[in-house]
Amino acid sequence: MTPKLSVIIASYNHQDYIAQTLRSIEEQTFQDFEIILIDDGSSDHTVEVARETQSRARIYTQPNQGVVAARNRGVELA
């Protein structure tokens, strides 16, 4: 079944915030959503931290192309 809402997160070097961001989204009362995280070529541990949170987010990586390209990829994947 397709979710009613897609939450797209474009991230670049946000290892200090990504776990809190994912938890905050998942703690919402509305639950008919998917989370798509696009890591835009981070040089820190953003992807590793995101995976360690045991989030239901689908995580994708791409070479750094900027926030617009990351968001567009998220829309394509949604």
Side-chain angles (χ1 to χ4, degrees), residues 4 9-10 17 24 26 41 43 54 73:
K4 288 187 178 185
I9 304 169
Y17 308 103
S24 176
E26 292 179 350
S43 59
Q54 301 299 312
R73 182 156 183 229

Side-chain angles (χ1 to χ4, degrees), residues 20-38:
Q20 179 181 351
T21 299
L22 293 169
R23 282 193 301 270
S24 176
I25 294 166
E26 292 179 350
E27 291 172 357
Q28 300 304 305
T29 56
F30 180 83
Q31 288 291 305
D32 192 6
F33 62 85
E34 65 179 345
I35 303 171
I36 300 171
L37 170 62
I38 307 297

Side-chain angles (χ1 to χ4, degrees), residues 7-11 18-19 22 26 34-42 45-62 70 73-74 77:
V7 179
I8 300 168
I9 304 169
S11 182
I18 197 65
L22 293 169
E26 292 179 350
E34 65 179 345
I35 303 171
I36 300 171
L37 170 62
I38 307 297
D39 179 73
D40 193 38
S42 294
H45 299 286
T46 298
V47 172
E48 292 86 353
V49 172
R51 287 189 176 129
E52 289 172 1
T53 63
Q54 301 299 312
S55 169
R56 69 188 208 194
R58 296 180 1 223
I59 302 169
Y60 300 90
T61 60
Q62 67 181 27
R73 182 156 183 229
L77 293 166

